[in-house]
Amino acid sequence: MAELVLGIETSCDETSAAVLSVQDGRALLRSLVILSQDVHRIFGGVVPELASRAHLRTIGPVVDQALREAGAAREELTGIAATAGPGLIGPLLVGFTYGKTLAWRRGLPFIGVHHLEGHLFAATLEDPLLAPPFVALLVSGGHTMLLHVPEWGRYELMGQTRDDAAGEAFDKVAALLKLGYPGGPVIERLAREGAPDRFRFPRPLLVRSGAGRFEFSFSGLKTAVLRAVQLSDNLERDRADLARGFQDAVLEVLAEKTAMAVDEAGVGTVVLGGGVACNAALAASVGRSVGQSVRVVTATPRLNTDNAAMIAAAGAWRLSRGERSPWDAEATDNMVFPGLQPFSIANGQWAI
Ligand code: KG4
Ligand code: ZN
């Protein structure tokens, strides 16, 4: 019998729900609804309190719409998965509590999902044969990390950022260039028109050996762009070239370090995940750096930015192994991602 899993994602400023059916280990995405909260554009960044309130207003209709689009009734669901963290605590609580309550009401198994594990599973929705071992480059607004994934559920941290995340750097540079929020998509668009040789920014920590070779640092690069912006006597004229210079620097660092990680781990596949993986030039850059013998896999942009389909996919995998929340000690360990503070909602002290 097919499993029918409802996924819920509300860790930041997207209210999202998805329905995934799984039969004989094959997942089929039946619906995906993503409601992006526009209100934050006015403030140039996500305002947590406003995000929580918007999630509260829309979580019910978004879940209903996902069920409608899947042609599924609540009675047909066999499990529910919701993002447990990391993320903004108010927004997380809305989706997590909604999912947990719905599961309790229907007597369904419920699983809290690590947001980053969700990003890792995103590409499996379009590439069902995708399986470890692989190296993953996770690049989002909050994280930048290289992971060796020998099997699902085992994530070995090779390196991460010492300061800003790659997506955060895109957002901050977009703000410097007065391009609005979020910055990634607009910088990518503008960079296509920019000259590659007018601004050459530093490639931070691009070293071939030593502890720093899998680590990242983007705050200095951001300052270098700030200086160039201050020195520009015509930002209108320079904007596209600055965007191009910045993007080239970030992508070269990401691609070269990913290639080194692939070499070190000895794998034949790279998975790119997280919002910055929407950037088509990133996949191209990584492809060039790793060479033709390594497969570069990434999901379409809709599945790379925050969405509930990836949460349903990771949740369905965990549910199929018999895992359930509220978690026991073992399940709590599963919520720990290497290099990140362990987290749990209310320290795992929740129960219905
Ligand atoms: O994974 P995500 O949707 O949310 C987090 O978990 O953080 O990532 C959002 C980040 C933002 O910083 C956004 O600017 C960036 O992903 N992003 C991009 C692109 N699309 C989104 N960065 C570069 N190029 C893009 N096309
Ligand atoms: Zn994310």
Side-chain angles (χ1 to χ4, degrees), residues 9 11-12 86 115-116 119 139-143 274-275 304-307 310:
E9 152 68 34
S11 66
C12 192
H115 183 80
L116 294 184
H119 276 304
V139 269
S140 71
H143 301 98
N304 264 334
T305 45
D306 290 350
N307 71 86
M310 66 184 198

Side-chain angles (χ1 to χ4, degrees), residues 282-303:
L282 173 65
S285 231
V286 172
R288 276 192 302 275
S289 295
V290 295
Q292 288 195 338
S293 58
V294 177
R295 202 160 77 94
V296 181
V297 183
T298 191
T300 48
R302 190 167 162 76
L303 296 172

Side-chain angles (χ1 to χ4, degrees), residues 8-27:
I8 294 175
E9 152 68 34
T10 61
S11 66
C12 192
D13 58 344
E14 255 81 44
T15 317
S16 181
V19 176
L20 187 71
S21 71
V22 187
Q23 188 145 30
D24 304 325
R26 295 281 289 237

Side-chain angles (χ1 to χ4, degrees), residues 249-338:
V250 174
L251 299 194
E252 186 179 329
V253 170
L254 293 174
E256 287 301 304
K257 284 175 184 274
T258 302
M260 286 191 275
V262 165
D263 247 18
E264 166 105 357
V267 294
T269 306
V270 179
V271 175
L272 308 178
V276 183
C278 296
N279 192 305
L282 173 65
S285 231
V286 172
R288 276 192 302 275
S289 295
V290 295
Q292 288 195 338
S293 58
V294 177
R295 202 160 77 94
V296 181
V297 183
T298 191
T300 48
R302 190 167 162 76
L303 296 172
N304 264 334
T305 45
D306 290 350
N307 71 86
M310 66 184 198
I311 301 302
W317 175 73
R318 290 213 171 260
L319 287 170
S320 74
R321 289 156 39 104
E323 288 182 34
R324 306 286 184 261
S325 296
W327 47 81
D328 52 18
E330 197 187 344
T332 309
D333 285 347
N334 286 330
M335 303 302 290
V336 179
F337 232 70

Side-chain angles (χ1 to χ4, degrees), residues 24-74:
D24 304 325
R26 295 281 289 237
L28 178 74
L29 186 58
R30 298 263 297 260
S31 69
L32 171 59
V33 178
I34 307 173
L35 190 66
S36 291
Q37 302 174 356
D38 232 20
V39 57
H40 307 289
R41 281 174 194 275
I42 305 167
F43 302 97
V46 178
V47 184
E49 177 68 14
L50 293 179
S52 307
R53 286 164 190 262
H55 285 306
L56 264 180
R57 270 197 307 278
T58 54
I59 183 69
V62 164
V63 167
D64 289 346
Q65 180 68 16
L67 288 166
R68 233 184 340 264
E69 286 183 15
R74 283 174 188 226

Side-chain angles (χ1 to χ4, degrees), residues 61-131:
V62 164
V63 167
D64 289 346
Q65 180 68 16
L67 288 166
R68 233 184 340 264
E69 286 183 15
R74 283 174 188 226
E75 294 72 33
E76 293 174 76
L77 292 174
T78 60
I80 297 180
T83 307
L88 302 170
I89 191 66
L92 279 169
L93 275 168
V94 175
F96 189 80
T97 308
Y98 190 94
K100 190 175 61 168
T101 310
L102 198 58
W104 171 69
R105 169 84 174 77
R106 306 231 148 256
L108 294 174
F110 174 76
I111 187 86
V113 172
H114 196 294
H115 183 80
L116 294 184
E117 187 169 54
H119 276 304
L120 284 179
F121 269 83
T124 65
L125 290 162
E126 294 168 321
D127 187 344
L129 298 180
L130 174 63

